[in-house]
Amino acid sequence: MSTAPYATRPQSFRYAGQTPRLSSRSSYPMFLSVQDSVFLQLTWAWRGLYDAFRWNVVFGSVASDSEIRANVYKSVLLNSLSLLSIYIFDLLLLPLVQDQQKWFHRNIGWFYQVLWLLPVVGTSLYLNGTWCTIIAKRTYLLQHGGRPAAPQSTSYTGMLKAIATSAYRVVMVCTSVVVSFALGKIPLVGPTAGFTFLCWVDAYYCFEFVWIARGLSLSRRIRYLEERWAYYFAFGLPSAALCTWGSGLANAALFALVFPVYIIMAMHARPVPTDPYNPMTPIPSQRPEENDIVRHPSPFVPIRLPIFAPVIWLNDGIVKILNVIGGRPIVGHKAAAGRGRGFSDASESAEDGVNTVQMELQSLKSSSSSSSKQVRPTSGRIKIGSQRKLD
């Protein structure tokens, strides 16, 4: 007796009226292996290192545009003068004035620092910031063919916002330096941790002009870097290595010297990955529904590192102290309630100049209301005969 052969494909049973649904396996997220995830991070780091050595882009930009060339030359000349002054003091004057008995000989180094070195270095750092902004705007204009951002408002409120933004950038630079020095004091791993953090700080400030031109807020800029930590670590590695050879002032002058160069490189760079949560390109499949499968990196290789969490925490503390000193109550943002890293909202509003403008407008309102109270209403006037006289 022969029997019919069974079907080779498994059959699925479904009650009448029941709609089909995806299996639990198909709805479970797919992850790459640890080896593939590590290989991807190394590939992105190599791309960042490659973008940090694209000197042909720098030479082409300087040679092709007169405005970029003029500002780069001014930056190189002034920062070279600063470096020369610093090394003259460190290598020539300082050994000569050691173990001297006369008061003038013992203090000639102090006079040199106060009367020449600090003014030259301070002036060069200030002017270098102005020249770097011009270089960044011009490079962005040539690269993308449009204005990087809306021009600053010339009104009183716009001036306050510009001042607040500049002040916040200074605060963030100082807190980043403080965190870098604090990491360097940790036993055993301190120097390595401080140098690694400095690589990310250098990369952040090289790309900050690009992010501001594209309209990214502070939290989005930090998130963008932290989700591409391998690329930005490698991009900031050469400048950080170059600026760790001398003293504090010499390192600052060295960074100011190479800063315009790395701004041009950052303008032409293409940070990777495009999507950190789905870094692999889709594999073509015979079934169209499988082409949109998201393959996340391995859970053992982090996608995002909280690199700037200590800096933002310090910035929030400084902003709160300034708010208390200024007499303005600290009010939490509504958008911070649903975010895991909402502690940066106060810093973000401070960077945008919101706190400064609100405090200034509040003081203007209070002064106007107090001045209006000094004038008595018309009901307090008394008429004597045909003339009006104030009581």
Side-chain angles (χ1 to χ4, degrees), residues 60-286:
S61 299
V62 172
S64 61
D65 189 78
S66 59
E67 187 175 1
I68 296 177
R69 182 168 57 251
N71 287 279
V72 168
Y73 285 169
K74 288 187 289 186
S75 176
V76 168
L77 289 176
L78 190 54
N79 288 297
S80 299
L81 177 62
S82 300
L83 278 174
L84 182 63
S85 303
I86 291 170
Y87 285 122
I88 285 176
F89 174 76
D90 290 340
L91 303 177
L92 184 62
L93 289 180
L94 195 59
L96 289 177
V97 299
Q98 286 181 349
D99 302 327
Q100 294 291 331
Q101 300 297 329
K102 293 184 179 181
W103 179 86
F104 178 76
H105 292 166
R106 284 186 286 109
N107 293 277
I108 190 173
W110 184 84
F111 286 121
Y112 179 81
Q113 286 183 324
V114 173
L115 299 179
W116 173 254
L117 189 58
L118 292 179
V120 168
V121 174
T123 304
S124 64
L125 292 177
Y126 174 77
L127 294 176
N128 194 71
T130 305
W131 296 331
C132 287
T133 303
I134 298 174
I135 293 171
K137 290 181 179 180
R138 182 63 181 171
T139 308
Y140 188 91
L141 179 64
L142 296 175
Q143 181 73 7
H144 301 282
R147 291 191 174 274
Q152 290 286 345
S153 175
T154 56
S155 63
Y156 183 66
T157 304
M159 289 169 50
L160 286 177
K161 286 185 177 181
I163 294 173
T165 302
S166 302
Y168 184 83
R169 289 188 65 190
V170 173
V171 170
M172 191 166 179
V173 170
C174 295
T175 52
S176 300
V177 172
V178 168
V179 171
S180 178
F181 279 117
L183 289 175
K185 299 298 181 181
I186 300 176
L188 299 179
V189 298
T192 304
F195 176 76
T196 303
F197 180 75
L198 189 61
C199 294
W200 281 313
V201 171
D202 288 357
Y204 173 86
Y205 283 104
C206 291
F207 279 87
E208 188 182 29
F209 292 97
V210 186
W211 295 330
I212 292 176
R214 294 176 179 173
L216 296 183
S217 62
L218 174 66
S219 59
R220 291 177 62 190
R221 298 198 296 264
I222 291 177
R223 183 183 183 91
Y224 194 87
L225 183 142
E226 291 178 343
E227 290 177 345
R228 296 157 181 85
W229 51 270
Y231 174 89
Y232 286 106
F233 166 76
F235 186 90
L237 181 63
S239 61
L242 187 63
C243 301
T244 53
W245 292 97
S247 60
L249 279 178
N251 292 336
L254 274 173
F255 182 73
L257 181 64
V258 300
F259 191 39
V261 172
Y262 281 97
I263 286 177
I264 297 175
M265 292 182 185
M267 288 289 176
H268 292 82
R270 293 294 180 268
V272 287
T274 306
D275 185 2
Y277 297 91
N278 185 22
M280 297 291 291
T281 55
I283 300 176
S285 175
Q286 295 179 356

Side-chain angles (χ1 to χ4, degrees), residues 316-343:
D316 287 343
I318 294 174
V319 170
K320 290 178 182 179
I321 291 173
L322 294 178
N323 285 336
V324 171
I325 294 175
R328 181 179 179 271
I330 302 171
V331 181
H333 289 65
K334 296 179 181 180
R339 295 213 304 260
R341 291 190 64 182
F343 58 84

